[in-house]
Amino acid sequence: MLPQWNRNPPFNITRASHVVLTSRDLAASRDFYTQVVGLVLTEETPDVLYLRGLEEAAHHSVLIQRISADEPSCRAVGFRVGDEEDLEKALRYFRSRNVSVQELSVPHQGRTIRIIDPVGSVVELCATMEVAPRFMQDFHLFRGGSPQRLDHFQLVTYDVQSATDFYAEIGFRVAEYTTGADDQLWGSWLERKGNTHDLVFTNGHGPQLHHFAFTTPDANSLIHACDVSSSLRAGDIIDRGPGRHGISNALFVYFRDPDGHRIELFTSHYQFIDIEAPPIRWDISDPRRAQLWGFPASRRWFFEASVFENSPVKEPLLKADVPTLEAYLAGT
Amino acid sequence: MLPQWNRNPPFNITRASHVVLTSRDLAASRDFYTQVVGLVLTEETPDVLYLRGLEEAAHHSVLIQRISADEPSCRAVGFRVGDEEDLEKALRYFRSRNVSVQELSVPHQGRTIRIIDPVGSVVELCATMEVAPRFMQDFHLFRGGSPQRLDHFQLVTYDVQSATDFYAEIGFRVAEYTTGADDQLWGSWLERKGNTHDLVFTNGHGPQLHHFAFTTPDANSLIHACDVSSSLRAGDIIDRGPGRHGISNALFVYFRDPDGHRIELFTSHYQFIDIEAPPIRWDISDPRRAQLWGFPASRRWFFEASVFENSPVKEPLLKADVPTLEAYLAGT
Amino acid sequence: MLPQWNRNPPFNITRASHVVLTSRDLAASRDFYTQVVGLVLTEETPDVLYLRGLEEAAHHSVLIQRISADEPSCRAVGFRVGDEEDLEKALRYFRSRNVSVQELSVPHQGRTIRIIDPVGSVVELCATMEVAPRFMQDFHLFRGGSPQRLDHFQLVTYDVQSATDFYAEIGFRVAEYTTGADDQLWGSWLERKGNTHDLVFTNGHGPQLHHFAFTTPDANSLIHACDVSSSLRAGDIIDRGPGRHGISNALFVYFRDPDGHRIELFTSHYQFIDIEAPPIRWDISDPRRAQLWGFPASRRWFFEASVFENSPVKEPLLKADVPTLEAYLAGT
Amino acid sequence: MLPQWNRNPPFNITRASHVVLTSRDLAASRDFYTQVVGLVLTEETPDVLYLRGLEEAAHHSVLIQRISADEPSCRAVGFRVGDEEDLEKALRYFRSRNVSVQELSVPHQGRTIRIIDPVGSVVELCATMEVAPRFMQDFHLFRGGSPQRLDHFQLVTYDVQSATDFYAEIGFRVAEYTTGADDQLWGSWLERKGNTHDLVFTNGHGPQLHHFAFTTPDANSLIHACDVSSSLRAGDIIDRGPGRHGISNALFVYFRDPDGHRIELFTSHYQFIDIEAPPIRWDISDPRRAQLWGFPASRRWFFEASVFENSPVKEPLLKADVPTLEAYLAGT
């Protein structure tokens, strides 16, 4: 069931801001993100890569930290709040609700807090970052998919309803959602910045980061990323697409980075601002919600994702007969 | 001089919403807007055309009203406010500041008010409209430039400073601006919806509507609009571009409709949300502000625009040596 | 083994020209080809559709003939010869080689002959057709994939070596080919018009028409065809792609028409004219030959094709372990 | 008046092959051609740059030779012939017609001859070149306009009729042409390789090389070349476009290299093979011949070109009122 959208939230989250990943091979990560995806490397230390999209004026939107022995994981997904006052309000709000929250010192970011949300996702909030030059007019530096900016995160959760309730209460609005016959919520596309999504929850073993997504200028950039992935002999890293999602209308392709983290490049979502605009409902059994055309997702796409470090993964409350390639094969 | 941005405005304007134009030939307007531009005709009466972009869920973003004898003009540019409460607050705010304001009954719009701003522009505000289906996934209906949504207005004003001050006070933020050596403000690009601009003021004989702008999905759509304008034998209606603006980074083309109103189709502006992101300053003498490449604007582009009905046009406070095609010719 | 290319052939074939298909529902065919693919309908009778690409100056390149009870099939693939003298030479050449050849009267075509080649494919030759206006500058008529011209045919044959030998002797040149470890020919890409292919043979149950292919202007047109196939609720007619072939470098998508005939839309093949330019060899085990990126072909793509009317299908001489979606699944 | 097309020419020219230019600054040329245009540098010596398009399998299509004091010029435009026998036939043919012809030793080219045609143009012929790898699938190396292959030359001549007669006799076919009221030939678009043009003659002070042209994959590549020219601060090198030619249907942009040589990047011309396809006639007074939309050419475009070294420029036989920007201004 769709929760009530809180139009006067306790603090102001403005947008999806950054993702913190771990990697066992920073050099491989750097090559993948700068050459195939086309991100800009703002800064590099022996232990951390700071990357950003071409139009971004912030120091980083992808932060990759070196690990040695452990499994690669997601350490946090980050959002921006309007200003420092919002951050203070957020801190007080979470404490009052017994949400686990800690302060953090992150280089190049302003004051930063991290919470663990009710479904176990690790979320970072900050109001500011160091400014970096926008490279959107340095066209000679465009590479791969020419990614412009981080747009949204998709998280797998064992309890879409609880996750959606929590974020609706702090001001996220549902733009699109999937339900079954009994109105149970299978997925929710939540937004703050006035277009389709900043944060998506889908049903499954969670919490996990399914993917983070960057906008590309157009279909050509997206195809070029595929072509470059091929000519750099990284062609096996596509695990879905190109195709067109029914939900969000994105023309998409999904890559896996060398540590298995999934990144979406997409174009063409839409503005979602007016209060009277209704959220779009899709039935979980409607194949058009997932793709208007093109091949269905691979099994990898359905069953692999990045765990959140130290956040145990739980069985989903809703049991799915997920459509798979096998199902597709029956009809081929 | 850049005014202070009021981050806690008296009411919440959310986005550029619609434009009200007059026309002496609705049939010609309909053909132009549906075939060359590619807008959807939501509704048509003997006296009014209601048009919208392909992804828009609102009843109209371009409203064209029939006139017989008079010169075609702009009757208003419209913005959305967050909700009815914001509209009420706006009404009170304007009255308290002695801004001319009147209530209006507009079919298919919620409660609507019209003001005349301090530089004579006629501005409409409403919180809601009737909902219309988004056609963004009706790809077989895409025509011309496949315009997705109304994005912004550019107004010519005789006093950019006063105009900018007024809108900054009600929450508009300057994303980019042009100044001369003495810091006088020649142009300001103001936004509410989190990307480059909802409202632009440039120095000149004003108030006039210079143009309104729709987003297109990509360069191909923009080129296709040019091609279609040609194959429908409307090829003389381009008066600038295609080219790339330095300001806003838009890849643009400007058409004139059958009544002379100017519409921009563009792609590729950028997100502008974070408080630390600095506005971009351009020197009025820098030719790159107007175009990174391509031919300069035609004389028409500089000196022709749509008057606001009943709002007298005044001499600009700043006197310009506007670069012209003639200037360009000297070097060709 | 690659046959010797006969640079002084007995007559001059200039290009792939047209395909003759049968259909049980001409209305459905017309909708598919004009709306999803975007071909121009030159002429329609109760029993025949004559279609052409947007830039084509010939009366038809796709000819669809109504049948009632039978299975849809391909009646012929057609090539142009340089002039009537070439046609006469061809007639004499085929007769001298005991190739089955008959004269045919086809409306809107000049003198026409039909042969059955040594591997059972039915091939039509003519020197001229009635001229039709090129619509390449009627941009307002562009629909679906904006197909510009027929480019090539791909035939499945039980004996690639014999087929290739026969066509090399009449002047076709191998641009690319696939072989196994023992140099056996698994596929050959043959051309006459100076770019990658006019005629392709691949190993399998044949003779069958695997597909015919039209050029599109760019990736956007190809994606738009997919989108339109979806918005017209014909989204299940894609059975491969979009993807990038290693062989020919085509960015491709494959549709099935309402009778199951397969059409490829593609962009980006290359010029192949100079005598010193070597043909490109691919190993049959190299997955990059089939696609540089993207999902593998569906089972349908491998095992379904259009039979030639009255030409019995034979077992392939080479036995393949064709890569399938199942194989792909093992790794997903 | 259109000359008769000689369908059985004395030797077989297959395509436009290469252009030989001189430069006063090879480093500047290299930067321009590799970064803005996006050509591949096959080889570089202190005195010569050898460049080729991304899909080209030949050693060079642009050859730039260092000069010190002199004015930059064009030393030759080059065509390929079918084989060495054709070259020998060409040699004999030109000698028999008293056309000035000399043998030349050019590194990386097979046997090469140079002629001076009846209107003074310097033309090189060879049958083969050293093979270089095609880079069309090295997508990570695509830069600027991603030029695929050299397509055609446009020469300015004082006598279009004589030039056209000469080339028609050696097998060039007129695809499009411009005439005045009296049927005088103002321009001719001549082809050998089966699409719109390999060689163009237009009326003016000649002989001069007006431009040479490379194909780009699509509109996006062309726009990207403009963008890169801007971000490398070379934005003043565009002297026409982007726009759409009526003749040839090319979507075009014209750059000037650091020595003033003009290069066109274009996409979308069409196949021209069938004997019954009529050449397209344009009236010299029809503005749509030059552009279907967009700004008219600059004065530079009309009056500047590259002289042929040692070939004196003559007054045109036909006197033109060339449309200029000034004319355009009258209506702006």
Side-chain angles (χ1 to χ4, degrees):
Chain A
M1 218 185 62
L2 275 198
Q4 188 66 27
W5 169 38
N6 183 359
R7 296 188 51 232
N8 295 296
F11 55 94
N12 177 23
I13 289 181
T14 57
R15 65 175 185 95
S17 157
H18 59 284
V19 62
V20 188
L21 305 171
T22 63
S23 165
R24 283 180 293 202
D25 184 347
L26 286 194
S29 294
R30 187 193 51 220
D31 287 353
F32 172 78
Y33 282 107
T34 59
Q35 294 177 30
V36 175
V37 176
L39 293 179
V40 174
L41 184 68
T42 306
E43 189 178 334
E44 184 175 13
T45 73
D47 290 321
V48 192
L49 301 175
Y50 297 92
L51 298 147
R52 69 185 198 277
L54 289 158
E55 75 167 54
E56 291 180 316
H59 184 273
H60 55 266
S61 52
V62 178
L63 200 157
I64 305 184
Q65 301 176 335
R66 194 167 63 83
I67 50 169
S68 39
D70 304 329
E71 286 299 300
S73 66
C74 175
R75 284 189 167 146
V77 295
F79 293 90
R80 286 293 192 96
V81 293
D83 56 22
E84 300 298 340
E85 204 178 308
D86 284 307
L87 197 67
E88 183 58 35
K89 287 178 184 167
L91 195 64
R92 271 182 270 138
Y93 173 84
F94 291 127
R95 282 182 178 146
S96 75
R97 305 293 165 113
N98 293 318
V99 173
S100 157
V101 55
Q102 62 171 133
E103 292 214 39
L104 222 68
S105 174
V106 184
H108 314 293
Q109 292 181 196
R111 186 188 180 195
T112 300
I113 65 174
R114 252 192 207 177
I115 67 159
I116 299 175
D117 75 16
V119 290
S121 333
V122 184
V123 175
E124 217 172 73
L125 298 179
C126 66
T128 61
M129 272 194 198
E130 281 176 23
V131 169
R134 297 186 194 269
F135 276 6
M136 62 195 171
Q137 295 182 334
D138 290 281
F139 298 100
H140 57 294
L141 303 180
F142 283 30
R143 295 287 177 271
S146 301
Q148 296 299 306
R149 61 179 176 273
L150 180 73
D151 184 79
H152 66 268
F153 309 113
Q154 183 165 328
L155 304 184
V156 188
T157 180
Y158 62 91
D159 185 353
V160 174
Q161 184 68 57
S162 296
T164 308
D165 291 347
F166 176 79
Y167 286 94
E169 182 59 33
I170 59 174
F172 282 80
R173 184 181 180 195
V174 174
E176 308 203 17
Y177 62 107
T178 51
T179 60
D182 50 4
D183 269 355
Q184 280 181 306
L185 211 51
W186 284 75
S188 58
W189 279 251
L190 297 152
E191 66 82 25
R192 282 295 300 166
K193 70 181 171 317
N195 49 31
T196 327
H197 40 15
D198 290 278
L199 180 60
V200 177
F201 285 102
T202 55
N203 180 67
H205 289 78
Q208 291 194 86
L209 172 66
H210 187 271
H211 69 264
F212 58 101
F214 272 81
T215 60
T216 56
D218 47 37
N220 274 56
S221 304
L222 198 148
I223 298 287
H224 190 56
C226 296
D227 281 335
V228 168
S229 80
S230 153
S231 64
L232 293 175
R233 295 299 188 275
D236 56 349
I237 56 177
I238 297 178
D239 69 6
R240 184 169 193 175
R244 171 82 68 184
H245 286 314
I247 298 177
S248 86
N249 199 35
L251 184 77
F252 65 84
V253 67
Y254 292 88
F255 295 105
R256 300 294 282 276
D257 83 4
D259 290 282
H261 303 302
R262 187 181 287 107
I263 178 172
E264 179 187 15
L265 294 181
F266 79 101
T267 189
S268 307
H269 62 178
Y270 59 92
Q271 199 171 69
F272 184 70
I273 293 181
D274 308 336
I275 46 165
E276 78 274 16
I280 300 175
R281 180 192 169 278
W282 298 82
D283 196 278
I284 189 67
S285 67
D286 180 359
R288 291 174 62 83
R289 79 190 194 294
Q291 65 221 3
L292 297 184
W293 50 263
F295 268 47
S298 67
R299 191 154 49 183
R300 304 198 299 202
W301 198 88
F302 276 112
F303 295 112
E304 298 181 12
S306 301
V307 297
F308 279 98
E309 201 179 34
N310 303 323
S311 240
V313 169
K314 300 187 186 172
E315 288 281 317
L317 295 187
L318 304 177
K319 303 301 173 191
D321 273 348
V322 194
T324 62
L325 265 183
E326 285 91 346
Y328 178 79
L329 279 175
T332 66
Chain B
M1 218 184 62
L2 276 198
Q4 189 67 28
W5 170 38
N6 183 0
R7 296 187 52 232
N8 294 298
F11 54 94
N12 177 23
I13 289 181
T14 57
R15 66 174 185 96
S17 158
H18 59 284
V19 62
V20 188
L21 305 170
T22 63
S23 165
R24 284 181 293 201
D25 184 346
L26 286 194
S29 294
R30 189 193 49 221
D31 287 353
F32 172 78
Y33 283 107
T34 58
Q35 294 177 29
V36 176
V37 176
L39 292 179
V40 174
L41 185 68
T42 306
E43 190 179 335
E44 184 175 13
T45 74
D47 291 321
V48 192
L49 301 176
Y50 297 91
L51 298 147
R52 70 183 198 278
L54 288 158
E55 75 167 54
E56 291 180 316
H59 184 273
H60 55 266
S61 51
V62 178
L63 200 157
I64 305 184
Q65 301 176 335
R66 194 167 64 83
I67 50 168
S68 39
D70 304 329
E71 288 298 303
S73 66
C74 175
R75 284 190 167 147
V77 295
F79 293 90
R80 287 292 193 98
V81 292
D83 56 21
E84 299 298 340
E85 203 178 309
D86 284 307
L87 197 67
E88 183 59 33
K89 286 178 186 169
L91 195 64
R92 272 183 270 138
Y93 173 84
F94 291 126
R95 282 183 179 147
S96 74
R97 305 294 165 113
N98 293 318
V99 173
S100 158
V101 55
Q102 62 170 135
E103 292 214 40
L104 221 68
S105 173
V106 184
H108 314 291
Q109 293 181 195
R111 186 187 180 194
T112 302
I113 65 175
R114 253 192 206 177
I115 68 160
I116 300 173
D117 76 15
V119 291
S121 334
V122 184
V123 175
E124 216 172 75
L125 298 178
C126 66
T128 61
M129 272 194 199
E130 280 175 24
V131 170
R134 297 185 193 269
F135 277 6
M136 62 195 172
Q137 296 183 333
D138 291 280
F139 298 101
H140 57 294
L141 303 179
F142 283 30
R143 295 288 178 272
S146 301
Q148 296 298 306
R149 61 178 176 274
L150 180 73
D151 184 79
H152 66 267
F153 308 113
Q154 183 165 329
L155 304 183
V156 188
T157 180
Y158 62 92
D159 185 353
V160 173
Q161 184 69 56
S162 296
T164 307
D165 291 349
F166 176 80
Y167 286 93
E169 182 58 33
I170 57 174
F172 282 79
R173 184 180 179 196
V174 175
E176 308 203 18
Y177 63 106
T178 50
T179 60
D182 51 3
D183 269 355
Q184 280 182 307
L185 209 51
W186 283 76
S188 58
W189 278 251
L190 296 152
E191 66 82 25
R192 282 296 299 166
K193 71 181 170 315
N195 49 31
T196 327
H197 40 16
D198 290 278
L199 181 59
V200 177
F201 285 102
T202 55
N203 181 66
H205 290 78
Q208 291 193 85
L209 171 66
H210 187 272
H211 68 263
F212 57 101
F214 273 81
T215 60
T216 56
D218 48 38
N220 274 58
S221 303
L222 197 149
I223 297 287
H224 189 57
C226 296
D227 281 335
V228 168
S229 79
S230 153
S231 64
L232 293 175
R233 296 298 188 275
D236 57 349
I237 57 177
I238 297 178
D239 69 6
R240 183 168 195 176
R244 172 82 70 184
H245 286 313
I247 297 177
S248 87
N249 197 36
L251 183 76
F252 65 85
V253 66
Y254 292 89
F255 294 106
R256 300 293 283 277
D257 84 4
D259 290 282
H261 304 302
R262 188 181 288 107
I263 178 171
E264 179 187 16
L265 293 180
F266 79 101
T267 189
S268 304
H269 62 178
Y270 58 93
Q271 198 171 70
F272 185 71
I273 292 181
D274 309 335
I275 46 166
E276 78 274 16
I280 300 176
R281 180 192 170 276
W282 298 83
D283 197 278
I284 189 67
S285 67
D286 179 359
R288 290 174 62 82
R289 81 191 192 293
Q291 65 221 3
L292 296 184
W293 50 263
F295 267 47
S298 67
R299 192 155 48 183
R300 305 197 298 201
W301 198 87
F302 276 111
F303 295 113
E304 299 182 12
S306 301
V307 297
F308 280 98
E309 200 179 34
N310 303 324
S311 238
V313 168
K314 300 186 187 175
E315 288 280 319
L317 294 187
L318 304 177
K319 302 301 173 192
D321 272 348
V322 194
T324 61
L325 265 183
E326 284 92 344
Y328 179 79
L329 278 175
T332 67
Chain C
M1 217 184 62
L2 277 198
Q4 189 67 28
W5 169 38
N6 183 359
R7 294 188 53 230
N8 295 297
F11 54 94
N12 177 23
I13 288 181
T14 57
R15 65 175 185 96
S17 157
H18 60 283
V19 62
V20 188
L21 305 171
T22 63
S23 165
R24 284 180 292 202
D25 184 347
L26 286 193
S29 293
R30 188 193 51 220
D31 287 353
F32 172 78
Y33 283 107
T34 59
Q35 294 177 31
V36 176
V37 175
L39 293 178
V40 174
L41 185 68
T42 306
E43 189 178 334
E44 184 176 12
T45 73
D47 290 321
V48 193
L49 301 176
Y50 297 92
L51 297 147
R52 70 184 199 276
L54 288 158
E55 75 167 54
E56 291 180 316
H59 183 272
H60 54 266
S61 51
V62 177
L63 199 156
I64 304 184
Q65 299 176 336
R66 194 166 63 82
I67 50 169
S68 37
D70 304 329
E71 286 298 301
S73 66
C74 175
R75 283 190 168 145
V77 295
F79 293 90
R80 286 293 193 98
V81 293
D83 56 22
E84 300 299 340
E85 204 178 309
D86 284 308
L87 197 67
E88 183 58 34
K89 287 178 185 167
L91 196 63
R92 273 183 270 137
Y93 172 83
F94 291 127
R95 282 181 180 148
S96 75
R97 305 293 165 115
N98 293 317
V99 172
S100 158
V101 55
Q102 62 170 135
E103 293 214 39
L104 221 68
S105 173
V106 184
H108 314 292
Q109 292 181 195
R111 187 188 180 196
T112 300
I113 64 174
R114 253 192 206 178
I115 67 159
I116 299 175
D117 75 16
V119 290
S121 333
V122 184
V123 175
E124 216 171 74
L125 298 179
C126 66
T128 61
M129 272 194 199
E130 280 176 23
V131 170
R134 297 185 193 268
F135 277 5
M136 62 196 172
Q137 295 182 333
D138 291 281
F139 299 100
H140 57 294
L141 303 180
F142 283 30
R143 294 287 177 272
S146 300
Q148 296 298 306
R149 62 179 175 272
L150 181 74
D151 183 79
H152 66 266
F153 308 113
Q154 182 164 328
L155 304 183
V156 188
T157 180
Y158 62 93
D159 185 353
V160 174
Q161 185 68 55
S162 295
T164 307
D165 291 349
F166 177 79
Y167 286 93
E169 182 59 33
I170 58 174
F172 282 80
R173 184 182 180 194
V174 175
E176 309 203 17
Y177 63 107
T178 50
T179 61
D182 52 2
D183 270 354
Q184 280 182 308
L185 210 51
W186 284 76
S188 58
W189 279 251
L190 297 151
E191 66 82 27
R192 281 296 299 165
K193 71 181 170 315
N195 49 31
T196 327
H197 39 16
D198 290 279
L199 180 60
V200 177
F201 285 102
T202 55
N203 180 67
H205 289 78
Q208 292 193 85
L209 171 66
H210 187 272
H211 68 264
F212 57 101
F214 272 80
T215 61
T216 56
D218 48 37
N220 274 57
S221 304
L222 197 148
I223 297 287
H224 190 57
C226 296
D227 281 334
V228 168
S229 80
S230 154
S231 64
L232 293 175
R233 295 299 187 275
D236 56 350
I237 57 179
I238 297 178
D239 69 6
R240 185 169 193 175
R244 171 83 69 184
H245 285 314
I247 298 177
S248 86
N249 197 35
L251 183 76
F252 64 85
V253 67
Y254 292 89
F255 294 104
R256 300 293 283 278
D257 83 4
D259 289 283
H261 303 303
R262 187 181 288 106
I263 178 171
E264 179 187 16
L265 294 180
F266 79 101
T267 188
S268 305
H269 61 179
Y270 58 92
Q271 198 171 71
F272 184 70
I273 293 180
D274 308 336
I275 46 165
E276 78 274 16
I280 300 176
R281 180 192 170 277
W282 297 83
D283 196 278
I284 189 67
S285 67
D286 180 359
R288 291 173 62 82
R289 81 190 193 292
Q291 65 221 4
L292 297 184
W293 50 261
F295 267 47
S298 66
R299 192 156 47 184
R300 305 197 298 200
W301 198 87
F302 276 112
F303 295 112
E304 298 182 11
S306 302
V307 298
F308 281 98
E309 201 179 33
N310 302 324
S311 239
V313 168
K314 300 185 186 174
E315 287 280 317
L317 295 187
L318 304 177
K319 302 302 174 191
D321 273 349
V322 194
T324 62
L325 265 183
E326 285 90 346
Y328 179 80
L329 277 175
T332 65
Chain D
M1 218 184 61
L2 276 198
Q4 188 67 27
W5 170 38
N6 182 359
R7 295 188 52 231
N8 295 296
F11 55 94
N12 177 24
I13 289 181
T14 57
R15 66 175 186 95
S17 157
H18 59 283
V19 62
V20 188
L21 304 172
T22 63
S23 166
R24 284 180 293 202
D25 184 348
L26 285 193
S29 293
R30 188 193 51 220
D31 288 352
F32 172 78
Y33 282 106
T34 60
Q35 294 177 30
V36 176
V37 176
L39 292 179
V40 174
L41 185 67
T42 306
E43 189 179 336
E44 183 176 12
T45 73
D47 290 321
V48 191
L49 301 176
Y50 296 93
L51 298 147
R52 70 184 197 277
L54 289 157
E55 75 166 54
E56 291 180 316
H59 183 273
H60 55 266
S61 51
V62 178
L63 200 157
I64 305 184
Q65 300 176 335
R66 194 167 62 82
I67 50 168
S68 38
D70 304 329
E71 286 298 302
S73 66
C74 175
R75 284 189 167 147
V77 295
F79 292 91
R80 287 292 193 98
V81 293
D83 56 22
E84 300 298 340
E85 203 178 309
D86 284 307
L87 197 68
E88 183 59 34
K89 287 179 185 166
L91 195 64
R92 273 183 270 137
Y93 173 83
F94 291 127
R95 282 183 179 145
S96 75
R97 305 294 165 113
N98 293 318
V99 173
S100 157
V101 54
Q102 63 170 134
E103 291 214 40
L104 221 70
S105 174
V106 184
H108 314 292
Q109 293 181 195
R111 187 188 180 193
T112 301
I113 65 174
R114 252 192 207 177
I115 67 159
I116 299 175
D117 76 16
V119 290
S121 333
V122 184
V123 175
E124 216 172 75
L125 297 179
C126 66
T128 62
M129 272 195 198
E130 280 176 24
V131 171
R134 296 186 194 270
F135 277 6
M136 62 194 172
Q137 295 182 333
D138 291 281
F139 298 100
H140 57 294
L141 303 179
F142 283 30
R143 295 287 178 271
S146 301
Q148 296 299 306
R149 61 178 176 273
L150 180 73
D151 184 78
H152 66 267
F153 309 113
Q154 183 164 328
L155 305 183
V156 189
T157 179
Y158 63 91
D159 185 352
V160 173
Q161 185 68 57
S162 296
T164 307
D165 291 347
F166 177 79
Y167 286 93
E169 183 58 33
I170 58 174
F172 282 79
R173 183 180 180 196
V174 175
E176 308 204 17
Y177 62 107
T178 50
T179 60
D182 51 2
D183 270 355
Q184 281 182 307
L185 211 50
W186 284 75
S188 58
W189 278 251
L190 296 152
E191 66 82 27
R192 282 296 300 164
K193 70 180 171 316
N195 50 31
T196 327
H197 39 16
D198 290 279
L199 180 60
V200 178
F201 285 101
T202 55
N203 180 65
H205 291 79
Q208 291 194 86
L209 171 65
H210 188 272
H211 68 264
F212 58 101
F214 272 81
T215 60
T216 56
D218 48 37
N220 273 57
S221 304
L222 197 149
I223 296 288
H224 190 58
C226 296
D227 281 334
V228 169
S229 80
S230 154
S231 65
L232 294 175
R233 296 298 189 275
D236 56 349
I237 57 177
I238 297 178
D239 70 6
R240 183 169 194 176
R244 172 82 69 183
H245 286 314
I247 297 178
S248 86
N249 198 36
L251 183 76
F252 65 85
V253 66
Y254 293 88
F255 294 105
R256 300 293 283 277
D257 83 4
D259 290 282
H261 303 303
R262 188 181 287 108
I263 178 172
E264 179 187 15
L265 293 180
F266 79 101
T267 189
S268 305
H269 62 177
Y270 58 92
Q271 199 172 69
F272 184 71
I273 293 180
D274 308 335
I275 47 165
E276 77 273 18
I280 300 176
R281 181 192 170 276
W282 297 82
D283 197 278
I284 189 67
S285 67
D286 180 358
R288 291 173 63 82
R289 80 190 193 294
Q291 65 221 4
L292 297 185
W293 50 262
F295 268 46
S298 67
R299 191 156 47 183
R300 304 198 299 201
W301 198 87
F302 276 111
F303 295 113
E304 299 181 12
S306 301
V307 296
F308 280 98
E309 202 179 32
N310 302 325
S311 239
V313 169
K314 300 186 186 173
E315 288 281 318
L317 295 187
L318 303 178
K319 303 301 174 192
D321 272 347
V322 194
T324 62
L325 265 183
E326 285 91 345
Y328 179 79
L329 278 174
T332 67

